[in-house]
Amino acid sequence: MKTDQTNRVNMYKTVTGVLDDHSAVWNAMAPMVTAVADFKTKVSTIDTAVQKQETPTGATKDKAEARDALEDVLFLMCRALSFLAHKSGDNDLSALADLTRSDIDKFDSEGLSNRAASVLAQANAKKTDLATVQVTQANLDELTQALADFNEVKAGPRQATAERAAQTESLPTLIRDANSILRNEVDPLVALFSRSNPDFVSAYNSARVIVDRAATHAAAKALGGPPPTPAQ
């Protein structure tokens, strides 16, 4: 969340606290009750969006671990197939399997998945020949599982990024909605209490000020902190 958004949401929380502390003043005014409830709902929705936006994900780590496992077993299978290709003069098989660890590491996700699938198909077709170099069904099963695991998690980081991006895009709209409720509904209703309960109105107006937290830290030594910005 951007600094200006954080500062504004902090203001929302302060306003909510003041409203709660003085609920006895306004809870008999039905429109005020509705406006405050709508505002709190919007703030809660903002909190949920922020949590989803900022929650770390293990998808990238899962993908890296699955890739490492696939690369390791793929390299060993390629070594075995490369030997068979050399012995039989199979140039197509040689072109498929003649990969170093560095070559494998350079593949992007789709390239790695596709090459591993092709290698697996050739390995299954040459089970009998592979058995002569002690490549067993268990080894084939290991490659099959490693490929399946990698395919399952390879889109994870991209999906997680997309989800966070969606939350990031939703925040400005949610904040505009919360601002609208305050400016057009809560602010004018609170002002009606200026004669009957000036302390409440004063506390509310103070809470409605946006404090620039980032600027406060930067300017504290020289100026004692920046002046607050009246909220709109």
Side-chain angles (χ1 to χ4, degrees):
M1 189 163 59
K2 297 178 181 178
T3 300
D4 62 327
Q5 293 175 330
T6 299
N7 292 334
R8 191 168 290 274
V9 171
N10 286 338
M11 179 268 288
Y12 296 161
K13 301 296 181 61
T14 304
V15 166
T16 298
V18 170
L19 290 170
D20 287 343
D21 289 343
H22 294 83
S23 61
V25 175
W26 52 263
N27 63 12
M29 182 187 286
M32 181 74 171
V33 172
T34 299
V36 171
D38 289 345
F39 174 65
K40 287 184 175 182
T41 297
K42 193 62 64 175
V43 173
S44 178
T45 303
I46 291 171
D47 282 343
T48 299
V50 170
Q51 289 171 4
K52 291 181 179 179
Q53 179 194 53
E54 298 179 349
T55 299
T57 174
T60 299
K61 181 180 178 181
D62 291 343
K63 179 181 177 181
E65 291 176 349
R67 177 168 185 133
D68 287 345
L70 177 58
E71 287 188 6
D72 185 58
V73 68
L74 176 61
F75 173 73
L76 295 177
M77 191 63 72
C78 283
R79 291 292 81 203
L81 289 173
S82 182
F83 170 79
L84 295 181
H86 173 73
K87 296 298 288 185
S88 64
D90 189 335
N91 292 330
D92 289 338
L93 182 60
S94 179
L96 176 69
D98 189 15
L99 295 172
T100 65
R101 288 188 183 274
S102 179
D103 292 332
I104 294 173
D105 189 58
K106 292 176 182 177
F107 284 123
D108 62 17
S109 294
E110 289 303 319
L112 177 61
S113 177
N114 292 337
R115 181 59 69 91
S118 296
V119 168
L120 179 59
Q122 286 297 312
N124 280 319
K126 298 184 179 298
K127 289 182 183 180
T128 301
D129 294 332
L130 286 171
T132 65
V133 291
Q134 298 184 351
V135 175
T136 65
Q137 182 61 48
N139 299 129
L140 294 171
D141 291 343
E142 183 182 8
L143 177 55
T144 301
Q145 188 61 54
L147 176 57
D149 291 344
F150 178 69
N151 284 337
E152 183 177 350
V153 302
K154 68 179 179 179
R158 185 166 61 250
Q159 292 171 350
T161 298
E163 289 171 2
R164 286 196 297 271
Q167 299 304 326
T168 299
E169 292 174 1
S170 73
L171 278 174
T173 298
L174 294 173
I175 288 174
R176 281 196 299 271
D177 290 346
N179 288 341
S180 178
I181 294 171
L182 283 181
R183 184 168 54 250
N184 299 313
E185 299 180 40
V186 181
D187 285 356
L189 291 175
V190 168
L192 298 178
F193 295 96
S194 59
R195 291 183 176 179
S196 62
N197 204 304
D199 290 342
F200 164 51
V201 176
S202 177
Y204 176 84
N205 288 336
S206 294
R208 282 284 276 124
V209 171
I210 298 174
V211 178
D212 186 348
R213 302 297 182 186
T216 298
H217 291 301
K221 289 186 179 181
L223 304 176
T229 303
Q232 298 298 322

